[in-house]
């Protein structure tokens, strides 16, 4: 008789565990659709293109001799000395024209001494101007047609995160550098007031390529395209009701300049219009895994040996139902 009791108990336990396992595989899922809208805004719209580079001097060059086989009488500067354009740097014993500074800057190295002879084209010193700085940034090939000389640039430098520098585009490379099938082009930007900047600092440039005052604009994803026609959906007052789809108005529009986030609407809408954005669907699911664990815990006394020992049975472990988005 006792053997049959154990068989019955075992069958019940196995059946219960199996049922709970099967039940836990089934989950209820609820999909909700979030209605999103945006208001047509009016204001200044700026189109900017970004690039990164490092700070470097505009002038950094070797000073070369134009005299051949002449003896140096005197070297008038030392490394680290600041000079002005036209200052005499080296004189010769035969009263030949002296070597002068080609620009303002600091003589960083001097490689000759009095009594030595120099040859035509020989580098006798190096000049760097640390007060006249620029940065060269890399711009993607898709954006380079929009970059022109004299465009305004705002610059951020990692060393001074709370300060913004300004500059202008001075040169755009005619040749790009290709990497992994994509090309970038060097854009040189002169920094207006490089206070505290040092050569080698990293910089991020934001080049202003277009701007418009009093522009009407909406988020980029508000504009849809059907063949060659662009349109927006003007939301009705009944947007959140069941018949909203019947009352939303499809309005043909014309677009102008665009940023990564916003696009100008030149015709078709008015300031303050409520525009429907693409819907976002979210789903949530729940299962009874926690319930299964709780049920198994509740059967713990029987599964462990029929009747719980004196002093109390095994308590069920706590189990919360899980939900996931």
């Amino acid at each position: 008789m006792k053997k049959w009791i154990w068989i019955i108990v075992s069958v019940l336990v196995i059946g219960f565990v199996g049922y709970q396992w099967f039940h836990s595989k089934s989950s209820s899922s609820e999909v909700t659709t979030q209605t999103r809208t945006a208001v047509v805004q009016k204001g200044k719209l700026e189109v900017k293109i970004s690039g990164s580079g490092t700070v470097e001097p505009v002038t950094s060059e070797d000073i070369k001799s134009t005299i051949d086989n002449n003896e140096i009488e005197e070297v008038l500067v030392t490394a680290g000395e600041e000079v002005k354009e036209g200052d005499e740097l080296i004189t010769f014993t035969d009263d030949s024209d002296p070597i002068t500074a080609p620009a303002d800057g600091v003589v960083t190295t001097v490689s000759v001494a009095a009594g030595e002879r120099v040859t035509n084209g020989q580098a006798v010193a190096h000049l760097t101007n640390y007060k006249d700085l620029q940065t060269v940034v890399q711009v993607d090939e898709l954006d380079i047609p929009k970059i022109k000389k004299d465009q305004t640039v705002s610059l951020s430098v990692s060393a001074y995160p709370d300060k913004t520098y300004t500059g202008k585009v001075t040169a755009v490379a005619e040749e790009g550098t290709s990497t992994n099938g994509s090309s970038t082009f060097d854009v040189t930007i002169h920094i207006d007031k490089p206070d505290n900047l040092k050569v080698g600092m990293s910089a991020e440039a934001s080049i202003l390529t277009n701007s418009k005052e009093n522009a009407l604009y909406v988020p980029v994803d508000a504009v849809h395209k059907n063949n060659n026609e662009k349109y927006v959906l003007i939301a009705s007052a009944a947007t959140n009701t069941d018949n909203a789809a019947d009352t939303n108005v499809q309005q043909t529009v014309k677009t102008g300049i665009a940023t990564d986030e916003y696009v100008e609407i030149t015709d078709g809408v008015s300031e303050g219009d409520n525009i429907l954005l693409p819907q976002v669907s979210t789903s949530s699911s729940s299962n009874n895994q926690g319930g299964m664990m709780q049920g198994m815990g509740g059967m713990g006394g029987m599964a462990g040996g029929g009747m719980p020992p004196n002093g109390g049975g095994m308590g069920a472990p706590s189990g919360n139902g899980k939900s996931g988005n």
Side-chain angles (χ1 to χ4, degrees), residues 20 57 60 72 95 108 133 149 179-180 182 213 256-257 277 304:
Q20 292 284 13
S60 181
I72 295 174
D95 292 328
T108 55
L133 302 179
K149 287 183 65 175
T179 305
N180 298 326
S182 179
E213 299 282 354
I257 64 175
L277 300 178

Side-chain angles (χ1 to χ4, degrees), residues 48-54 135-140 143-144 147 153-157 184-187 189 202-209:
K48 297 181 178 181
I49 293 173
S50 61
S52 59
T54 55
T135 182
V136 179
V137 301
Q138 288 73 49
V139 174
D140 187 87
D143 293 324
I144 204 66
I147 305 297
V153 183
S154 59
L155 295 155
S156 60
V157 179
T184 58
F185 290 77
D186 287 346
V187 175
I189 299 163
S202 59
E204 291 288 334
S206 183
I207 305 168
L208 180 64
T209 61

Side-chain angles (χ1 to χ4, degrees), residues 76-315:
L76 302 174
V77 292
T78 58
E81 187 173 340
E82 188 171 342
V83 296
K84 297 291 185 180
E85 181 179 358
D87 285 353
E88 291 188 0
L89 307 180
I90 296 173
T91 60
F92 296 97
T93 57
D94 63 354
D95 292 328
S96 298
D97 290 338
I99 296 176
T100 60
D104 295 352
V106 174
V107 177
T108 55
T109 61
V110 176
S111 53
V112 294
E116 295 182 0
R117 290 185 176 275
V118 295
T119 58
N120 187 19
Q122 177 183 345
V124 297
H126 189 88
L127 179 73
T128 301
N129 190 343
Y130 294 108
K131 295 181 179 179
D132 188 20
L133 302 179
Q134 64 184 18
T135 182
V136 179
V137 301
Q138 288 73 49
V139 174
D140 187 87
E141 61 182 318
L142 297 178
D143 293 324
I144 204 66
K146 305 170 189 174
I147 305 297
K148 309 294 181 185
K149 287 183 65 175
D150 296 327
Q151 286 175 334
T152 301
V153 183
S154 59
L155 295 155
S156 60
V157 179
S158 299
Y160 303 106
D162 298 327
K163 185 171 183 178
T164 299
Y165 293 85
T166 60
K168 286 188 180 297
V169 174
T170 56
V172 181
E174 295 294 335
E175 296 184 12
T177 302
S178 180
T179 305
N180 298 326
S182 179
S183 294
T184 58
F185 290 77
D186 287 346
V187 175
T188 305
I189 299 163
H190 184 262
I191 304 173
D192 294 334
K193 295 179 180 179
D195 300 336
N196 301 320
L197 294 184
K198 295 185 180 298
V199 172
M201 287 182 172
S202 59
E204 291 288 334
S206 183
I207 305 168
L208 180 64
T209 61
N210 205 344
S211 67
K212 190 170 183 179
E213 299 282 354
N214 299 319
L216 294 177
Y217 59 90
V218 297
V220 170
D221 60 350
V223 178
H224 308 275
K225 191 173 182 180
N226 183 15
N227 295 324
N228 293 324
E229 182 182 83
K230 295 179 181 178
Y231 67 91
V232 298
L233 295 174
I234 299 181
S236 70
T239 295
N240 295 318
T241 66
D242 293 338
N243 62 346
D246 298 329
T247 53
N248 293 328
V249 177
Q250 180 174 313
Q251 176 64 48
T252 301
V253 297
K254 293 181 180 179
T255 60
I257 64 175
T259 69
D260 291 339
E261 297 179 347
Y262 298 100
V263 59
E264 178 193 10
I265 305 295
T266 59
D267 185 56
V269 299
S270 300
E271 182 182 4
D273 283 350
N274 205 24
I275 305 299
L276 201 64
L277 300 178
Q279 294 180 338
V280 175
S281 296
T282 59
S283 63
S284 61
S285 62
S286 61
N287 57 51
N288 293 315
Q289 184 176 356
M292 179 184 76
M293 294 298 295
Q294 186 172 2
M296 289 179 66
M299 292 294 291
M302 294 181 65
M307 297 296 292
N310 292 334
M314 295 176 60

Side-chain angles (χ1 to χ4, degrees), residues 1-16:
M1 186 67 179
K2 187 176 181 179
K3 180 178 179 181
W4 281 104
I5 292 175
W6 275 108
I7 292 174
I8 292 172
V9 170
S10 300
V11 170
L12 289 174
V13 170
I14 293 172
F16 180 79

Side-chain angles (χ1 to χ4, degrees), residues 28-40:
S28 60
S29 179
E30 181 181 356
V31 178
T32 58
T33 301
Q34 180 183 359
T35 300
R36 301 165 57 235
T37 60
V39 175
V40 177

